[in-house]
Every structure is written in C-alpha cells, then in structure tokens.
Amino acid sequence: MVTIRMTRPKQAPQRTCVGCGARKDQRLLVRIVRGPDSGLIIGGGRVSGRGAYICPASECWKRALKGTRLEHCLRSSLTIENRAALLQYLSSLQESEPNGKIHTE
Ligand SMILES: [Zn+2]
C-alpha cells in the first residue's frame, strides 16, 4: 500500500467505462440509469438508481452493447426497447464525431 502525500486539487469521482474499462472523471462519462418503468435514462446524471457509465465515444458504446457487460452493470437484462434507445444514442454519437473520423468495417 503506497500512500500518496501529494496534495492534489479536489477530485471528481471516478467511474469505469463499461465499454473500454478506463477510469475517468464521472463528468466525462455518459450515465445510463435503469428507470422505474424498465426504461433506460441515458445521460441521467442526477437520477438515482443503479447506473452504468460509458465514454461519449461510439467505440465504447459498441463494445458495451456487444456483450452482456452493460446488463451486468444494470443488474437486469435489456429489453428490445432498451437496446433500440441505446443504438439511437450511439448513432447520434457517430454523427458528431469530433475529427470527422468515421470507421467503416
Ligand atoms: Zn470508454
């Protein structure tokens, strides 16, 4: 156990991206919360409940949606509607790719 004595500025809580597994400042990640009506609240930063965090990057969203990682984080399976909402969010991310960098496979 190493104790870091450096005084650092007040740090924002760190969260792990479901897609790439990187730990980042919570504010830099998109929060997904399971709503009461089995819907998903995407970007629900202030909503309480079990949530998952994903970078606002299409690659991370694709990875998160590929397996069951997101379902594990939310502790429930995704409905067809949930997946549709997530894919819709993913497509909005791809449209606004910062450097015009769009990967085609
Ligand atoms: Zn990520």
Side-chain angles (χ1 to χ4, degrees):
M1 186 74 190
V2 181
T3 312
I4 300 165
R5 281 166 203 256
M6 244 168 38
T7 48
R8 39 186 180 172
K10 207 172 162 188
Q11 225 179 353
Q14 302 283 296
R15 292 290 181 269
T16 305
C17 168
V18 180
C20 64
R23 278 179 76 80
K24 290 191 179 185
D25 189 319
Q26 188 184 326
R27 290 170 302 183
L28 301 174
L29 298 166
V30 180
R31 186 164 179 241
I32 300 163
V33 189
R34 168 68 73 189
D37 54 353
S38 87
L40 290 180
I41 302 154
I42 300 169
R46 288 176 179 277
V47 185
S48 65
R50 178 152 288 279
Y53 292 84
I54 308 179
C55 303
S58 54
E59 278 305 306
C60 293
W61 283 74
K62 280 182 199 165
R63 284 202 220 181
L65 286 170
K66 212 170 182 178
T68 52
R69 290 195 230 189
L70 187 58
E71 294 175 314
H72 276 293
C73 286
L74 296 170
R75 299 274 163 91
S76 57
S77 54
L78 296 171
T79 64
I80 293 163
E81 287 79 14
N82 292 159
R83 286 196 176 270
L86 292 163
L87 286 169
Q88 195 180 1
Y89 191 88
L90 169 60
S91 67
S92 78
L93 284 172
Q94 282 172 318
E95 280 163 24
S96 56
E97 200 84 26
N99 309 316
K101 219 172 43 171
I102 295 166
H103 298 284
T104 44
E105 283 167 31

